[in-house]
Amino acid sequence: MRPNSRVRERFVLSLDGRQVAGAVLLALVVLGGAFLLGLDLGRRLAVHQPPARPASPLAALERPPATPRPDKEPRLSFHDALTKGPPVTAAPVEARPRPPPPSPAPPPPPPAAALRAETAPQPSGPRPAEKPP
């Protein structure tokens, strides 16, 4: 027999806890770096490319409407109004009648035994006289 030149040996891989933690940490760093590079590239491409014009007027209807941006930021004056000048009092409000109180809750339904007693047929006619003790 000729010698087998393609002898396969098994490769045994064993890692301890520190090596596994290091490999996981390295994978997280690589994935985080790839994410940040893609995010930066996407921002740069969005700035340099003009928005695409729709091919048809119907395609423009499917897009959400663009919100107009104000030319200048609105001036917030609540801080000045609260900290300077005399306090502003509101005009008295007319007394409004109170709404009527809510109606009471309906009574709970009687137990099933009481319903059977109420719906049972009552004997008609005079009752027998009770005997004195």
Side-chain angles (χ1 to χ4, degrees):
M1 277 179 116
R2 66 183 175 139
N4 191 357
S5 62
R6 299 176 110 190
V7 175
R8 292 187 183 180
E9 294 182 22
R10 290 191 168 211
F11 181 71
V12 178
L13 178 67
S14 63
L15 300 173
D16 64 350
R18 295 173 87 191
Q19 291 172 333
V20 170
V24 168
L25 184 64
L26 179 67
L28 287 175
V29 168
V30 169
L31 288 174
F35 175 77
L36 290 176
L37 286 175
L39 190 66
D40 186 45
L41 180 65
R43 285 183 181 168
R44 287 183 189 176
L45 289 178
V47 171
H48 294 297
Q49 290 181 349
R53 300 198 74 167
S56 69
L58 293 178
L61 292 175
E62 294 176 357
R63 287 186 312 173
T67 56
R69 298 188 75 197
D71 294 339
K72 61 180 183 176
E73 294 294 323
R75 185 173 182 281
L76 302 177
S77 62
F78 69 91
H79 184 272
D80 297 333
L82 291 176
T83 57
K84 297 177 183 170
V88 178
T89 58
V93 179
E94 295 179 16
R96 297 181 186 163
R98 291 187 175 195
S103 62
L115 286 176
R116 280 190 223 118
E118 289 176 5
T119 59
Q122 299 292 331
S124 60
R127 289 188 173 182
E130 295 182 12
K131 296 181 183 177

